[in-house]
Amino acid sequence: MKIVEVQAIRANRFCYAKIITDEGIYGIGESGAFGVADAAAAQIRSFGLYLVGKNPLDIEHHWQVMFRGMFFRGAAVMGALSAIDVALWDIAGKYYNAPVYQLMGGKCRDKVLVYGHVIASSDEELVENCKKRKEQGFKALGHLSPFLDEDEDTPYNRTYTKNMEDAIRRTHLMRETVGDDVDLCIELHRRSLPAEAVVLIQEIADVHPLFVEDPIPPGSNEAMAYVVRHSKVPIATGERLHTIYEFQDLLDRQAANYIRVSLTTVGGLTGARKIATLAESKMCPIVPHNPLSPVCTAAEMQLCACIDNLLICEYPSGDGRLSWDSTSTDRKCDMVTNWDKPVDGYITPSSAPGIGIDLIPDIEKHFPPITYAPGSRLNIDGSVRDQ
């Protein structure tokens, strides 16, 4: 079996790889570099120049060539490698008539615990959406921002005291809303400095969050380690890292209690499995990151089925809107042939060959590509604010 074509498919804000073989078997995968999807698509086509004519089943060898053969790495390159790697595993599963988890050692679990997203721009919306997710059966809720999901076009103008008191109050409001039978995954979304994060975490520790995610901006593992040392709540981070070496440093510095692995930017199933094994050696659980489409979810379910050190997995609803525009009716699940639906807070990984999902025909025509212009929220004085 040989690869005859490698396609880069841009649809809405997403980027996919489709690899076609001379036996008619094809595989798909998704890139997680959603901020630079056009660049990732170009890199997928570039990797295709190497892959055409090769045996798609030599997955580890191709991964090493693409990972080590580039002079530079980063989001676009690793996003492209990730999409291609998942597509190759999808082909292998179809070729051997087995789900990917079976090829990667078999199942460690029959179903995967996931947490549902809660997005809110007001206290009222926060309460309503927490209740809605609990009613849907989720045992844990995530993307829970005590700072809310505010409009980035509005300059930030709030005192430190007001910002902290509101964040502390909202976190307690979350716990009051869902009770003790739902876990809270608090998302600070890199919006605090180390000292601020420590103060906030001390004040919300009594609601016993499952973890606090990304309390400070990425870049300094030393600063993150400071937060971990002074925190009474487990800290989860890593979603912006790309390589096993970056995760090695994070773990060596004890800068995370739980590792956030973005399967679609760390080199796909192959890269994520390497990082999961590395974390296992440190007795560190994995919390896979996923803000993407059902293709990413399908691939992550295959990974979650076959690794032992899984804590919980992020789940962006498949029937969620594709646009922040409240008038939009397009949903993520409309882009694929089927999608993983949670039952009582768990997803059963597909036992179909490969990753168990496909894109609809001519997806790029039904969902034209969207390219986002770079931007950032500003403080009232005009300086950049992380959000």
Side-chain angles (χ1 to χ4, degrees), residues 65 102 113 129 149 152 166 179 184 253 270 287 321 373 385:
V65 169
Q102 201 65 60
L113 180 65
N129 290 339
D149 299 289
E152 292 189 0
D166 281 349
L184 302 178
R253 292 176 183 268
T270 298
V287 181
R321 291 196 307 268
R385 183 168 189 84

Side-chain angles (χ1 to χ4, degrees), residues 58 69 94 97 112 115 139 195 208 249 262 270 287 322 338 356:
D58 295 333
K94 293 172 181 176
N97 194 33
V112 176
Y115 66 81
K139 302 294 190 297
H208 304 294
D249 187 67
S262 297
T270 298
V287 181
L322 278 170
N338 60 288

Side-chain angles (χ1 to χ4, degrees), residues 91-164:
I91 289 172
K94 293 172 181 176
Y95 180 81
Y96 291 112
N97 194 33
V100 168
Y101 65 71
Q102 201 65 60
L103 303 183
M104 300 187 82
K107 289 192 296 182
C108 290
R109 58 185 53 81
D110 296 321
K111 56 185 181 179
V112 176
L113 180 65
V114 298
Y115 66 81
H117 278 181
V118 173
I119 297 173
S121 57
S122 67
D123 288 5
E124 294 75 18
E125 191 175 14
L126 177 63
V127 170
E128 178 185 354
N129 290 339
C130 282
K131 288 181 177 178
K132 182 186 300 183
R133 292 294 185 229
K134 181 179 179 180
E135 290 169 357
Q136 291 171 342
F138 286 101
K139 302 294 190 297
L141 306 181
H143 193 82
L144 288 167
S145 173
F147 302 118
L148 299 178
D149 299 289
E150 297 178 318
D151 186 355
E152 292 189 0
D153 293 332
T154 302
Y156 181 85
N157 184 24
R158 189 175 294 124
T159 65
Y160 168 81
T161 302
K162 179 64 172 173
N163 189 46
M164 294 293 281

